Amino acid sequence: MSAIPPSEPSISASQSSSVPSSAPSKPTKLTILYDFLLPHIQSHISSPTREPLLIAFNGIQGSGKTTLVAHLAQHLSNPSSTPSSTPTSTSHSNADGIPSPDRDQGAPPPPLRVATLSLDDFYHPRLELLKLKRAHKGNALLQTRGQPGTHDTRLCLSTLRSLKNGKPVSIPRYDKSAFNGEGDRLPASTWDTVSDVDVILFEGWSLGFRPLGTATARLRHSTAQINFARLWEKQCAIPRDAPIEADIIKPGTEAGRLGNQKLEDVLVVDKNLRDYEEITELFDLFVHLDSEDLQLVYEWREEQEEKLRREKGTGMSKEKVIEFVNGCMFRFWSTNTRGRTFEKVEYADESADYPSYEMYTDVLRQGILHGKGKQLRLRIGRDREVVSHKII
């Protein structure tokens, strides 16, 4: 799943690290994001009667959404640290004629009271997840936390509504390390109470996913199965003694996960998404960190393991990373690719997300909010820097 959210659910106007005065050679994620948000924030704070502005963030694992949210919260709560960038007016316009934000159009906003939340903190308690797991014993997608259906949507909805209405509310916290990684919700006595905020930053890997309905979900699953079968045929033709890097089917490919799931399992997840619709309708703005290639998730995972090997002297080797992810990918096959024995990791938290990426990313790219100019799509490359961006 996505990275652990900031430990504090709210960020006050406090001192922050200084930002270099020299402008970068090209806009960064943060500067593009700030330019997109600035006119909305200025309009929002000038309104005599207003509720907190709710900005939702979606991004695949390793895309940097949690870091981006933390930096944005810092800048909004301390405008003196506002990022500088090269002009982005031309690149911010789009085919619909939506004008690009220009920082010269108004002064930076005053210090804002910002609350940061993560969808991860709204997982059901461990015992509830165990009940869900047993109730869907044959559904691999629901054997671990992550997929739609594993979150307490009622608690999430009530929390967001309380924040939007200016009422004090305690923000739940979830400990992913509890019970040997199974995770559990922390006692309510440890939750922080937040109230009277200006901006809510809400991040989660599946935020914004909309249910497709049985007919569309069935069609996408069928297409994915066909693509997977074609790749599998090519995969089996690779010589058994070829290096593992030669494998055709790798994590992130369009036929990598969805086509390897059972239709009934996929339909359950799609049905579960109906419970998230009221949450999505609360979003005022939406930011989508979209990878130019889902396969980059594999490389980012290898970077994480390499950092562990360098700093702590332990971590999976590059080959083990490939075996780990491929082993998760082929969990439903009775035979291993080219006769190899992969390190079997049942229902790895990271692997369960990919079918949903394949199912719902196109919906995000088309825009999920009513009205134009409310969604920013940041397309990032291998280095996590912006390749292109578009206001939808």
Side-chain angles (χ1 to χ4, degrees):
M1 271 287 296
S2 51
I4 298 174
S7 58
E8 295 294 335
S10 62
I11 300 179
S12 59
S14 58
Q15 294 295 325
S16 63
S17 58
S18 59
V19 176
S21 57
S22 58
S25 58
K26 64 178 182 178
T28 64
K29 290 195 295 287
L30 184 58
T31 56
I32 294 172
L33 173 61
Y34 192 85
D35 282 348
F36 164 69
L37 295 177
L38 184 57
H40 293 284
I41 293 174
Q42 289 171 332
S43 174
H44 178 72
I45 62 177
S46 64
S47 175
T49 57
R50 69 176 190 269
E51 60 182 17
L53 193 67
L54 176 50
I55 308 170
F57 294 78
N58 173 291
I60 63 175
Q61 297 174 62
S63 60
K65 63 181 179 298
T66 303
T67 301
L68 182 62
V69 166
H71 287 169
L72 176 63
Q74 180 185 56
H75 289 302
L76 292 179
S77 61
N78 183 7
S80 64
S81 64
T82 297
S84 60
S85 68
T86 55
T88 59
S89 356
T90 302
S91 58
H92 267 198
S93 59
N94 64 22
D96 296 319
I98 298 173
S100 56
D102 187 340
R103 197 171 289 133
D104 293 334
Q105 292 176 354
L112 300 175
R113 294 157 299 184
V114 182
T116 61
L117 291 81
S118 172
L119 183 63
D120 289 356
D121 280 324
F122 292 94
Y123 283 128
H124 284 296
R126 174 175 173 268
L127 292 180
E128 291 298 316
L129 289 177
L130 289 175
K131 291 179 183 178
L132 180 69
K133 178 179 178 178
R134 288 192 292 266
H136 299 273
K137 188 175 181 180
N139 190 334
L141 298 175
L142 296 177
Q143 297 306 300
T144 185
R145 62 181 187 264
Q147 288 287 342
T150 62
H151 304 96
D152 189 337
T153 52
R154 290 186 179 180
L155 177 60
C156 181
L157 185 61
S158 65
T159 300
L160 293 175
R161 281 177 172 168
S162 293
L163 286 173
K164 294 276 278 185
N165 292 329
K167 299 178 180 179
V169 62
S170 295
I171 309 298
R173 298 176 61 191
Y174 196 88
D175 181 5
K176 292 183 178 180
S177 65
F179 295 96
N180 296 319
E182 287 186 22
D184 199 4
R185 183 182 295 170
L186 291 173
S189 59
T190 67
W191 302 0
D192 293 306
T193 300
V194 179
S195 64
D196 197 22
V197 299
D198 300 302
V199 178
I200 305 166
L201 305 180
F202 186 31
E203 61 97 355
W205 74 269
S206 61
L207 288 182
F209 286 177
R210 297 276 198 176
L212 300 176
T214 302
T216 302
R218 186 186 298 272
L219 177 61
R220 292 198 178 188
H221 179 264
S222 176
T223 302
Q225 281 190 315
I226 293 173
N227 292 336
F228 186 89
R230 290 172 178 170
L231 279 183
W232 181 260
E233 184 177 357
K234 294 179 180 179
Q235 178 80 10
C236 293
I238 298 176
R240 292 171 60 90
D241 59 350
I244 196 167
E245 288 83 354
D247 286 351
I248 292 174
I249 304 180
K250 291 184 172 66
T253 60
E254 288 303 311
R257 300 297 172 95
L258 180 58
N260 201 23
Q261 310 299 318
K262 294 181 291 185
L263 174 61
E264 56 266 34
D265 295 350
V266 173
L267 292 179
V268 169
V269 170
D270 190 69
K271 183 179 179 181
N272 288 342
L273 272 176
R274 299 176 189 174
D275 295 332
Y276 294 71
E277 284 287 81
E278 288 187 84
I279 295 173
T280 303
E281 291 298 327
L282 292 177
F283 300 166
D284 296 304
L285 300 171
F286 188 74
V287 179
H288 178 204
L289 270 66
D290 191 7
S291 171
E292 63 177 348
D293 182 0
L294 290 180
Q295 191 165 312
L296 289 174
V297 179
Y298 157 75
E299 298 183 36
W300 292 335
R301 176 59 189 260
E302 161 57 20
E303 283 183 357
Q304 294 172 341
E305 294 298 328
E306 192 279 330
K307 184 178 180 180
L308 285 175
R309 295 194 298 267
R310 184 177 65 253
E311 296 181 354
K312 297 186 177 182
T314 182
M316 290 187 287
S317 65
K318 183 175 181 179
E319 181 172 278
K320 284 294 183 183
V321 169
I322 297 174
E323 292 179 354
F324 166 78
V325 182
N326 279 352
C328 296
M329 178 185 296
F330 301 125
R331 68 163 72 102
F332 287 124
W333 293 89
S334 58
T335 57
N336 292 323
T337 303
R338 294 188 276 138
R340 293 181 174 176
T341 302
F342 292 135
E343 179 180 340
K344 188 178 178 65
V345 182
E346 288 288 349
Y347 310 122
D349 195 26
E350 294 83 359
S351 68
D353 302 345
Y354 290 100
S356 290
Y357 289 141
E358 295 180 49
M359 282 280 284
Y360 303 107
T361 295
D362 286 346
V363 177
L364 298 182
R365 291 169 177 168
Q366 295 168 11
I368 64 163
L369 300 183
H370 306 294
K372 296 179 180 179
K374 297 182 178 181
Q375 178 169 326
L376 173 65
R377 180 190 175 201
L378 292 171
R379 185 165 167 263
I380 59 177
R382 170 66 182 82
D383 58 0
R384 298 180 184 82
E385 293 301 323
V386 178
V387 175
S388 65
H389 60 282
K390 180 180 180 181
I391 298 176
I392 302 173

